[in-house]
Each structure stands twice: as C-alpha cells, then as structure tokens.
Amino acid sequence: MNYFVCLKQVPDTTTRFQLKEGEKEVDLSAVKWVINPYDEFALEEAIQWSEKDSGKVEVCAVGPAQTKEALRTALAMGAHSGVHVHTEQSLDSLQTAQVIFDSLSEKLKKTDVIFCGRSAVDWNFGAFGGALAQLLNRTYISLAVKIEKKENSLEILRSVEGGLVEILEVTGPVVISVTKGINTPRYPSLPGIMKAKNKPIETLSAPSFEPHFTVEHLSFPKPRPSVQMIEGTADEQAQKLVRLLKEKEQVL
Amino acid sequence: MKALVFIESSSDYFKLIRYAQSLFEEVCFFTIGSEDMLWPDISSPIFRVLKKDSSYHPCYFSKIVSDLYDQEKPDVLLALDHSSNRDFLPGLSMSKKASFFSDVSEVRLQDHSLFIQKPLYTGKLSAQLKVLQKPCVILLNPSALPLTQKYEKGTPQIQDIPFEPFDTPIKKITRVQSSQVKKQINSAEKIVSGGRGMGEAKNFELLEKLAETISAAVGASRAVVDAGWVPHHMQVGQTGTLVSPKLYIACGISGAIQHLVGIQGAQVIVAINKDASAPIFKKSNYGLVGDVFEIIPALIKELSKA
C-alpha cells in the first residue's frame, strides 16, 4: 500500500525563546529544529506498516528551506521519498492543508492511508488532518493510539479525555492523526542516514496566502514569586504546608 | 457580531452561556442529543437537535453543525476545545472557508475586531492575535472560562430540530474505559502528580490516597508514563496534558522543562523532592525537601485532621 505522512518542523521542545524587538515575533535564529513529536509517531506508524506489506512511504513538509532537514531525517528513519513545499510565509493548519492538497492532489488520491500528528507543539491548532480530509473527501479519524487492518475496514482506537477509548470501524479512504502511545519512534540508523542521502526529495513552491490573522503581541507568562522552602521534620513540614495552603492561599 | 455556540451537557455549560452572552451582540445556542438539559432563562434562540443521545459521531456532528451554520450564518462558531470538537470542526471550518482557532484562552471584541489570546509553544509564550478572516471557528480552553454564579433554571423558548441517522463510512463506534479514572487532570481543580522519585508503579497508591483526601486528580511525569507505570492520559506536560489547577502538588518530580511548561497555568505549585537542587523548586510556590514516603503520609494525616 501507499502511505503518505505530513510532517511539520518545529523548534526543539527544550527551546528557551527570545522575542524580537516589538514583541510580535519570536527570534528563531538560534533554534534547533526537529520533527514535531506527534508527527514522528505518524511517521513511525507508516514505516511499520510499509515494512509489513512492502509498501511505500512518502513524506511531505511545508516550510522554509531548512524544512528539508526534517524530510532528510524522515528518509533516514525509513521513508522512501519526500516532497518539500517551499514557503517563507508562516501558514496556519488550514492553509497548510490547502497547499498540500493543491500541490499533491493527484498523488494523494493514489495514497491508501494518510498519516499526520494530532497537533504541532508550536501553535497547537490541531486542525491540519481534519482540514486535509475535508478537501480530499476522506474520513478523518483523530487521536489514534492503535490501528488494525481488518478485511474491508480499519479498526482504530481513539484515545479521548479521561482514559476513555473509542473504537471505530471505518471503511474507505482515511486521514488518521495519531497521538502518543501508538508506538515508539525509532532513531535513524547510520546505514539509514547514508541511504537517505540518495533518496529523492521533490521541491515545489507554495503560493502566497492572505493571512487569517496577525500577531498583535507576544508575552512570557508572569513569573511565579520565588519559592518558599518549608523546613523541619516531615510532620512539621506537613503542618506548615497545610496551614499555608488553607489560610494564605485558600486552595484547600 | 453574531455567534453560534455549541453547548454540551457534559461540560460546565452555564459558564459558556454567560461568556458568549457577555461577548457578542447576537448569540444563538445549540445542543445535540441532550434533551433533558436544564437551561437558564435567556432570550437568545436555543436549538435542540433531537439525536438519540449526545455521544459523539464525526459524520453526524459534522452534518448537524454544518446545517445549523448554513441556517444561522454566524460570524463566529464558538465551542469548547476537546477531542471531539477538534475532530470534526477543522473539516467544517475548511468547508465553510472559515478560519480556525483552538487552544484559545480569551476572546475579546474591540472596535468590531476580534482578538484572541492563546498559548504558543505549549505555554512558553502567550500570543494576542487579531482575526482577519471571518467567519471563524473558535475552540475555547475549558479552563479559561471565568467562574460565574449559576443561573437560575428557567423555561426559555427551545426549538427542536429532528435528526435522522444516515449511512456513513464509520460502521461502528464503541466506547470503553481503558483504566480506572476517578478524576480527569484536564479539568481538575487540584492535582497530585508523581514522578520517578515515587520509586515504582505501586507507590502511586500513596498518591491516590493523598488525592482522595483533598478530592484531587492524579497526574504523572513523562518519565513514569514512558516507564509504563501509569497510562498516558495521566501525563502532565508538553506531550501530555497542559493543566491549570488551583493546586498542583508535584511528588518526586525533578521538573524537566516540558513538564514545567505544562503546569505553569497552576495557581499554586508545591514540590516535594529529596534533591534540593531539583529544577522544579525554582518554579514552585512552596518547596519541601525530604522523603516523599515520609512527607506524603504526614500530609495525609494532617489533612485528615480537619
């Protein structure tokens, strides 16, 4: 089968951000870029499926020139080919879905399963998969933690709030967004990294979009007052803490 | 500006009604499959879709909301941010050429423009956005709704809308409880959370006990979720749940940055850890250096006194 994975490149989750003057833009010049963690789960899932049925995995990412690095990493993990849709504009989930649909709709029609992550850890819109599914007229299943192939359908476990799991049986073409718990993404192996150098990455360019919004202001969360250490034996610590939480903070 | 607001009986919906009414000149509300829901005395239109139950079905919900949207032509479709609304509303936004905003902590109207506040990079930054593309779909973070006094129950005008199930590619949906969950961390007012310092999986019983004493939910750090001690839905932090309780008690959690950004919305943070140099103390209001197995029982004892 043919699998298609949509990735986003995001700042590493340990990044400490700086703002540019004017406080409307983040200074991303010194940022280390990685594949969005949820998209790594999507990629791993597609690779595992392709290993079982000798299928092909194509990865796609929309973004500036450096986005190619994310695709190269994906190829090193085991994807077979990549598409980089180049844009210097910051696009939201719906626009990204539109770009991918417009540039690759013929290819997507021939794809059996399209995977993506539940959301990206930068803007957390979480709308990409649903929007792409709508454009392709496919069924969208989000938050998958387990996908099983049945004879004429897929059985997908969705992990929703409160430890509840929904089990869906779906027929026809799908877009699936996955979340943590579905698998453990592999690290690229050395031979994988070598092989990736010769795998094809096609480059397309995205049209420009009217922005859906402007950023008016960015701010850091208010710092917490400095910590008050509570000393003494365990009993003394417990007594002091409970009194503070009840009387001063009024949270008990 | 006109808003169409999705009211769900499973949520603290009085707050959402009040919030929407305080923001928009014109509001209409709708519910799906919640016929016995109580409504306050409001004059805004209320549509009640007569689905057999309120359980989520992507195709049914899409169709219902799409029809209502076409009928009402709102500038804003407002709903709470959770797994099912995030499942079907992005596709609906796409089909209606509406912009889409989720994880929204505040909506503001000023000079007929719509402004949105939302966290970026899992809360490391907060962004104020001006919406240019209308109509738009806004998913509000449930924890962002201001507390309000409960309305008196009323008898407003309600319009019933019939609903007939139809054939869809989704042949079956079943729901199972994957694990015993007493309280959910995403909506809890108090959370007791454990990390590696709890030693092993079975010591989470001690946290359960502490949580029970103060009716808190139990959460966990990524390390212990990855170690398989507790299920992923208990994970607090960047690849888990971002929480904003009134009280967060971190037990044996050293405080990786991904965890710390996940709890920065908490009003009061208490850290208990044997390592005085653990990063969590820098982000806490109160720090207790010591053995969790002595301090937690002492806390349970102290809290049970009152």
Side-chain angles (χ1 to χ4, degrees), chain B residues 12-19 38-40 148 150-151:
Chain B
D12 217 346
Y13 62 88
F14 279 70
K15 284 199 241 175
L16 184 58
I17 294 175
R18 171 99 33 150
Y19 191 70
L38 301 178
W39 285 92
T148 55
K150 273 219 163 174
Y151 280 95

Side-chain angles (χ1 to χ4, degrees), chain A residues 103-131:
Chain A
S103 337
L104 300 163
S105 66
E106 283 311 307
K107 201 171 252 176
L108 291 171
K109 271 180 205 152
K110 290 183 214 132
T111 302
D112 298 286
V113 186
I114 301 173
F115 292 101
C116 61
R118 62 176 293 184
S119 58
V121 298
D122 51 3
W123 281 81
N124 187 25
F125 281 124
F128 171 80

Side-chain angles (χ1 to χ4, degrees), chain A residues 122-125 142 163 169 249, chain B residues 87 102-103 118 121 178 286:
Chain A
D122 51 3
W123 281 81
N124 187 25
F125 281 124
S142 61
E169 201 186 311
E249 306 288 350
Chain B
D87 190 65
S102 55
D103 200 5
K118 85 181 253 43
Y121 303 107
S178 69
Y286 299 103

Side-chain angles (χ1 to χ4, degrees), chain B residues 126-139:
Chain B
S126 177
Q128 191 192 103
L129 312 178
K130 183 180 181 182
V131 179
L132 303 177
Q133 166 85 7
K134 264 181 283 172
C136 64
V137 173
I138 297 177
L139 300 191

Side-chain angles (χ1 to χ4, degrees), chain A residues 56-78:
Chain A
K56 292 273 179 268
V57 177
E58 176 140 40
V59 285
C60 171
V62 179
Q66 87 231 6
T67 309
K68 265 210 172 101
E69 294 162 26
L71 290 171
R72 204 55 82 185
T73 307
L75 296 176
M77 282 170 71

